[in-house]
Amino acid sequence: MGPTSAAPEAFTRAVAGLRAAAPREEILLEEITAPQRLAPFGFALSATVLREGEEVASGRLILLHDPAGHDAWQGNLRLVTLITAELESDMAGDPLLPAVAWTWLTDGLDLHAAEYTAIGGTITQTTSTRFGELAGPAPTADLEIRASWTPTSDDLGAHLQGWCAMLSSTAGLPPPGVTALGNRQHTAANQGRR
């Protein structure tokens, strides 16, 4: 259910915060239909992350609101995310990757001062090798991040920015304003301006 005139004020403020925050240009956001059965009120965004014009990660951020509160949430608002990204094959078996990927979320939220509680989630690494009639491309590897947390304020612009920072890290984007070393032409042009 989207925000309407009958929606609680806390929910409409939270949705307004998500709509107002602007991500970096490589992240394309789109409003999508929120799941109907998880909470009385819901709002959802999908994201596509592009690197050099190629889609390298995607995600969904869902805002749930139950005016009566929810014990497991420790509040009446909950943010839920699913992010998927293709990995370099040599990273797929790295035993440290799940712990590092988890810090992409917590560091992103902390960097943008998005206060939260009751955070939890899972990190999944998968590899796929094709055989027989499906043989062909090299083995592929994917990373999936599922997480949820309870914002302690209904101003969610900081939470969206923190989520976008996690998307950027998952997609392997350089920090804003930093040029990737592989892009020598762009780097040389920037050095000429100094």
Side-chain angles (χ1 to χ4, degrees):
M1 162 184 328
T4 66
S5 59
E9 185 179 340
F11 178 69
T12 57
R13 276 197 314 269
V15 170
L18 291 175
R19 284 180 171 154
R24 58 191 287 177
E25 65 182 16
E26 299 95 337
I27 300 175
L28 308 175
L29 295 180
E30 180 181 2
E31 291 184 23
I32 58 173
T33 303
Q36 300 292 308
R37 297 185 181 132
L38 300 178
F41 299 91
F43 176 79
L45 293 169
S46 71
T48 302
V49 185
L50 303 174
R51 187 174 59 221
E52 298 175 5
E54 297 287 322
E55 181 178 331
V56 291
S58 63
R60 289 187 307 244
L61 181 66
I62 301 167
L63 168 66
L64 303 174
H65 177 60
D66 186 341
H70 197 290
D71 289 341
W73 298 354
Q74 299 177 25
N76 59 19
L77 292 171
R78 188 76 172 166
L79 288 166
V80 180
T81 189
L82 167 66
I83 293 176
T84 58
E86 194 171 308
L87 292 173
E88 299 291 331
S89 57
D90 59 335
M91 290 183 64
D94 187 340
L96 299 178
L97 182 61
V100 170
W102 184 252
T103 66
W104 294 336
L105 172 59
T106 56
D107 288 353
L109 293 173
D110 294 345
L111 176 68
H112 293 280
E115 297 179 5
Y116 58 89
T117 189
I119 192 169
T122 61
I123 310 292
T124 306
Q125 299 160 266
T126 60
T127 57
S128 301
T129 305
R130 299 171 185 240
F131 296 96
E133 295 294 320
L134 298 176
T140 60
D142 296 293
L143 178 70
E144 180 181 274
I145 302 170
R146 292 178 182 267
S148 62
W149 64 96
T150 299
T152 55
S153 163
D154 57 13
D155 177 6
L156 298 190
H159 290 268
L160 181 71
Q161 294 296 343
W163 181 69
C164 287
M166 177 180 64
L167 278 166
S168 298
S169 296
T170 305
L173 297 179
V178 174
T179 302
L181 290 176
N183 191 345
R184 293 174 194 239
Q185 184 178 20
H186 190 263
T187 302
N190 286 341
Q191 287 175 346
R193 291 186 196 143
R194 292 183 184 168

